[in-house]
Amino acid sequence: MDSESSWARDRARFVEDAHSAWEEHREPLPDHGYRLGPLAMQFATLTYALLDANTVGEVFDQIVETAPRVLPGADVVSLSVREADGVLRDRKSVV
C-alpha cells in the first residue's frame, strides 16, 4: 500500500474512533483499535524528540521540521511567539 493510502486509512480510523467514542460517551481507544499507522508514528516520533529537547528553540525546530510530514499539503510552516512586549515574532519557518 502506498504512503498516501496509508495516511488516508490512518486518518479515517482516527476520525471514526473519535466519532464513535463521542457517540458512545467514552474515551477514544489509545491506539484507535489498530496498530500505529504513519500518522501516529509521526506524532510518537515528534513526542520523543520534544522530550529530548534541551531548549525551547529545539522544541520549535522539532515542531516546524515535523509539520510538513504531518501536513503534506502545507506550503509554509511557521511558528510565531508573542514576546513580552506583545509583538508576534516568527521564530522558525520553512517553505
Side-chain angles (χ1 to χ4, degrees), residues 43-55 58-59 62-63:
F43 278 110
T45 300
L46 175 60
T47 299
Y48 289 129
L50 293 177
L51 292 173
D52 285 341
N54 293 313
T55 67
E58 288 178 9
V59 170
Q62 291 293 337
I63 292 169

Side-chain angles (χ1 to χ4, degrees), residues 1 17 23 31 33 51 57-58 63 68 71 78-79 84-86 92 95:
M1 181 177 295
D17 180 55
E23 285 183 332
D31 58 2
L51 292 173
E58 288 178 9
I63 292 169
L71 306 165
S78 67
L79 195 133
D85 60 7
K92 183 76 176 167
V95 179

Side-chain angles (χ1 to χ4, degrees), residues 19-90:
H19 182 72
S20 296
W22 180 80
E23 285 183 332
E24 298 167 10
H25 306 287
R26 63 169 173 82
E27 291 294 317
L29 298 171
D31 58 2
H32 304 291
Y34 300 94
R35 296 179 77 101
L36 291 181
L39 179 62
M41 289 301 293
Q42 285 291 332
F43 278 110
T45 300
L46 175 60
T47 299
Y48 289 129
L50 293 177
L51 292 173
D52 285 341
N54 293 313
T55 67
V56 172
E58 288 178 9
V59 170
F60 290 165
D61 289 343
Q62 291 293 337
I63 292 169
V64 173
E65 290 168 14
T66 302
R69 292 191 301 268
V70 177
L71 306 165
D75 293 325
V76 176
V77 175
S78 67
L79 195 133
S80 298
V81 175
R82 184 180 307 273
E83 300 286 348
D85 60 7
V87 175
L88 286 174
R89 293 198 173 76
D90 205 21

